[in-house]
Amino acid sequence: MQVLLVEDEAIVARGLTDALRKSGLAVDLAKDGEDAWYLAGTGQYAAIILDLGLPRIDGMTVMKRLRSEGVTTPILILSARGSWAERVDGINAGADDYLPKPFQTEELLARVHGLIRRSSGMTAAKLSSDGLEIDPASATVTIKGVPVELTQMEYRLLYHLVSNAGKVVPAAVLAETLYSHHHERDTNAIEVLVGRLRRKVGKDYIATRRGFGYFFKGSEET
Ligand code: CA
């Protein structure tokens, strides 16, 4: 069972990593919001422990992005901001639990294991269309049962197009969805990414509406 710990303070991160590992969990550490967003988007984690005050992208933004992308991994927020209003904001934005700092490590462990127990019965629904299937729980893609190896960006792009199947998604919207503030939001990069994805999944799945954007149409239509 693997969890993602997002914490920028090195001493806190080290202590929590040790404690989580001792409790039987494998731990990946992200030290800023951008890494957190990249790693969490793979959907491979049983839970995410997310600090709110983070460099590059703040924790609340990371969480909102993940939820808007369909990532359903349980999220426990860690924050020094313990006021009830912020707690409500956090829960409304998609957090499953909230632990104000400072906290006892034992309480964090109990809450993380509780989250994993509660969510282990629920698996994210698979998305499928015309023989192409996406399993968000494992971030894997198969076409007619055959696994397709995609990079993280290719996967995100495909996920976004399939979740909006039949609708034209503008390249600018894709650029904004796929690239963080620190990258150039360049629609040419999206064109290149779409090209790579088409080579891997077959060109018929993704159509271009020139001047408008891209859409997922499935392989059966022409
Ligand atoms: Ca912090």
Side-chain angles (χ1 to χ4, degrees):
M1 204 72 90
Q2 198 174 12
V3 297
L4 177 65
L5 172 64
V6 187
E7 171 61 69
D8 57 316
E9 284 166 65
I11 294 169
V12 178
R14 202 153 43 229
L16 291 182
T17 303
D18 280 354
L20 288 161
R21 284 187 179 143
K22 278 186 191 135
S23 78
L25 296 167
V27 182
D28 276 355
L29 176 65
K31 292 172 186 165
D32 63 58
E34 194 171 326
D35 278 356
W37 176 61
Y38 267 76
L39 288 169
T42 63
Q44 64 180 310
Y45 300 103
I48 299 165
I49 302 151
L50 181 66
D51 184 30
L52 286 189
L54 294 170
R56 304 181 84 177
I57 308 175
D58 70 89
M60 197 69 89
T61 303
V62 171
M63 185 169 65
K64 285 177 182 165
R65 277 196 199 176
L66 291 172
R67 291 305 187 228
S68 76
E69 287 171 359
V71 176
T72 56
T73 313
I75 296 177
L76 169 75
I77 288 179
L78 298 181
S79 175
R81 309 170 210 173
S83 83
W84 69 266
E86 277 155 343
R87 187 136 102 208
V88 169
D89 279 352
I91 304 278
N92 282 342
D96 299 272
D97 203 353
Y98 188 100
L99 192 57
K101 288 177 171 179
F103 53 83
Q104 295 295 318
T105 304
E106 288 72 19
E107 185 177 1
L108 173 78
L109 294 179
R111 284 174 183 257
V112 170
H113 284 276
L115 267 188
I116 293 172
R117 261 199 314 277
R118 287 201 294 281
S119 71
S120 57
M122 309 183 291
T123 46
K126 290 180 180 177
L127 292 176
S128 68
S129 183
D130 296 305
L132 183 146
E133 187 171 83
I134 298 180
D135 181 0
S138 56
T140 51
V141 175
T142 55
I143 293 177
K144 298 186 172 73
V146 181
V148 184
E149 287 294 323
L150 297 180
T151 65
Q152 211 167 97
M153 293 308 271
E154 290 159 2
Y155 174 82
R156 283 171 183 276
L157 172 65
L158 182 63
Y159 183 93
H160 201 79
L161 291 174
V162 174
S163 350
N164 291 283
K167 281 185 242 163
V168 177
V169 185
V173 169
L174 288 171
E176 195 166 315
T177 306
L178 297 175
Y179 295 105
S180 69
H181 301 302
H182 303 278
H183 289 80
E184 263 190 289
R185 288 184 178 168
D186 184 353
T187 53
N188 291 327
I190 294 297
E191 202 175 317
V192 172
L193 194 61
V194 167
R196 287 207 323 248
L197 185 59
R198 276 193 181 126
R199 281 196 289 280
K200 290 187 179 179
V201 300
K203 63 179 169 47
D204 293 337
Y205 278 110
I206 300 154
T208 304
R209 176 98 13 116
R210 200 148 298 283
F212 291 94
Y214 302 94
F215 66 104
F216 184 87
K217 58 170 192 173
S219 60
E220 261 91 84
E221 297 169 28
T222 48

